[in-house]
Amino acid sequence: MSEKNMIHNHGEESACDLQVHVHLHAHADGTVHNHYHSHPGGGLPHEHGPHRGHSHDFLDDTAFGGHAHGGPIDDAAGRAGVGEGEAAFETHKVEGGQAPLHRHCVPASGHVVLEAQDLAYSYGRADGKVFEGLSLQAHAGSVLAVLGNNGAGKSTLLHLLAGLRKPSAGSVRVGECDLGSLGRKEIAKHIAFVAQQQRVPHLGVYDQVLLGRKPHMGWSLTEYDRMVVSRTIAQLDLEPFSHRYIDELSGGERQKVHIARALAQEPEVLLLDEPTSALDPKNQMEVLRVVRAVTQEESIAAIMVIHDINLALRFCDCFLLIRNGKVVAQGDRSVVTGESLTATYDMPFKVIEAEGIPLALPLA
């Protein structure tokens, strides 16, 4: 198991503080192992009720190996059955026909980490709202793709989820905490944001990743801070570049450094605004493989604005399609159809499959 999960924090704690703690977990066959996880309020006395699923880290990987269980689903009426490694989905239509037919993506690997309810936003006195009534959930271990036309409000949505802007209506919660009640430093302990436009300083790779520890640091750097930075650099295969300057790296290498800095925050949620823009196909694939792998390994929730529909279909498991601030479709890969893409981008699309990989083809 990772060193991160072996660290226990002590001292005063609020309901919004993250604590890693252990439970004894028994299987039907009689085998028993320790289950480590973290969530807000984990250091306070609490009980665990029914949940959608969980993943495990083990003291002895050779004895048990990593695996995930699909857990019981509350309000199961109308939902598909959940098995090992599967996801649960609920299909329904909102009363009054206000929202399109959609499916809630609930990966069995994770609980809800971030939730937005009925968000609305407008720029100052500008006529009309960028969007309103927008809701979404992000689950641990999943990657949610936000797809939409230019000007649809995708980047603005990420800014609201990151706490960089305040919604004119609605709320965003991370864990048990309302984002509006948290300061910037506290938000940065929960949420990491990789912006579309990044300044490229003349700074060493190690020092840039180390900046990700700033929300957690006190008066001095600790050994734990150094351990997190070293682990993150190794996780993203950046060791060969750790003593080089960022402005000496290629676009793909720089993007991995930006993601590494975000991951050094040890966030629950990773937000990425067009992480593959200006990258060649090889680097696009490499960066998204890293995002996908880290999301699953660290059980974090990733939300990504991306223009390349086919990359999204390949690396994401949940989707939000919006056009001019309105939700066109929301759910798992099955909601990404020729019809929903046509409605989103105002041009004809067809979705086919090639060697088991879904492909979106523009027909215009």
Side-chain angles (χ1 to χ4, degrees):
M1 70 181 277
S2 66
E3 291 175 272
K4 173 182 173 182
N5 284 339
M6 295 178 69
I7 300 297
H8 289 260
N9 297 321
H10 299 281
E12 294 185 4
E13 182 196 3
S14 72
C16 290
D17 290 331
L18 285 178
Q19 289 285 325
V20 177
H21 53 292
V22 63
H23 298 280
L24 198 64
H25 185 86
H27 285 283
D29 63 4
T31 58
V32 178
H33 62 261
N34 293 319
H35 165 211
Y36 288 84
H37 69 179
S38 64
H39 57 72
L44 301 175
H46 65 282
E47 295 181 359
H48 287 273
H51 55 282
R52 290 181 171 85
H54 57 268
S55 60
H56 303 281
D57 290 311
F58 302 103
L59 291 175
D60 184 359
D61 288 336
T62 59
F64 293 102
H67 62 284
H69 298 283
I73 307 287
D74 3 340
D75 302 324
R79 299 192 183 192
V82 182
E84 184 171 351
E86 296 177 351
F89 299 95
E90 179 182 8
T91 303
H92 66 90
K93 197 168 187 175
V94 174
E95 291 294 330
Q98 295 297 315
L101 186 69
H102 62 286
R103 304 176 72 190
H104 290 291
C105 186
V106 186
S109 60
H111 54 283
V112 175
V113 177
L114 180 143
E115 183 170 17
Q117 287 282 353
D118 297 322
L119 287 183
Y121 186 79
S122 59
Y123 290 106
R125 298 181 180 180
D127 293 334
K129 293 182 171 65
V130 179
F131 49 75
E132 62 180 333
L134 194 153
S135 299
L136 64 84
Q137 290 182 338
H139 296 80
S142 72
V143 182
L144 168 64
V146 181
L147 300 170
N149 63 305
N150 290 334
K154 303 183 298 296
S155 293
T156 300
L157 173 61
L158 282 195
H159 288 173
L160 294 178
L161 299 180
L164 300 175
R165 298 180 187 271
K166 293 188 180 296
S168 53
S171 64
V172 179
R173 298 187 68 83
V174 56
E176 299 299 321
C177 305
D178 189 314
L179 212 60
S181 69
L182 302 178
R184 287 300 316 149
K185 185 174 182 179
E186 286 302 311
I187 290 175
K189 291 179 181 179
H190 296 276
I191 299 172
F193 179 52
V194 180
Q196 181 180 353
Q197 300 295 331
Q198 294 277 357
R199 186 174 64 90
V200 183
H202 186 65
L203 190 68
V205 169
Y206 184 94
D207 292 332
Q208 176 74 354
V209 178
L210 181 60
L211 288 174
R213 297 302 301 160
K214 187 177 179 181
H216 303 278
M217 290 171 61
W219 290 103
S220 61
L221 189 65
T222 67
E223 285 304 311
Y224 181 67
D225 293 323
R226 295 184 187 278
M227 183 274 289
V228 171
V229 172
S230 296
R231 183 189 64 206
T232 305
I233 287 174
Q235 193 173 30
L236 273 70
D237 296 324
L238 289 170
E239 295 104 319
F241 314 106
S242 61
H243 298 295
R244 291 177 59 183
Y245 291 101
I246 301 173
D247 53 4
E248 298 175 347
L249 304 181
S250 69
E253 291 160 356
R254 288 178 189 173
Q255 189 67 300
K256 288 172 69 175
V257 173
H258 295 316
I259 294 171
R261 173 179 170 169
L263 293 173
Q265 293 175 223
E266 296 186 292
E268 299 160 75
V269 181
L270 177 63
L271 305 177
L272 304 113
D273 194 357
E274 298 189 36
T276 59
S277 63
L279 298 182
D280 62 44
K282 180 180 179 181
N283 279 302
Q284 288 177 348
M285 296 285 284
E286 186 173 340
V287 165
L288 291 184
R289 282 196 186 102
V290 165
V291 171
R292 176 79 254 179
V294 169
T295 297
Q296 294 176 331
E297 290 168 6
E298 300 295 324
S299 290
I300 63 177
I303 302 176
M304 175 170 58
V305 166
I306 186 168
H307 279 297
D308 193 311
I309 303 165
N310 290 318
L311 285 175
L313 285 168
R314 187 158 186 165
F315 291 99
C316 303
D317 40 28
C318 298
F319 297 83
L320 174 65
L321 279 66
I322 55 178
R323 176 169 178 79
N324 299 333
K326 303 292 184 183
V327 175
V328 175
Q330 189 171 8
D332 69 326
R333 283 189 182 92
S334 68
V335 306
V336 185
T337 63
E339 291 77 11
S340 64
L341 291 174
T342 298
T344 300
Y345 294 101
D346 194 27
M347 62 178 293
F349 271 88
K350 181 179 181 180
V351 177
I352 65 170
E353 197 168 282
E355 298 184 5
I357 299 172
L359 295 173
L361 302 178
L363 302 178

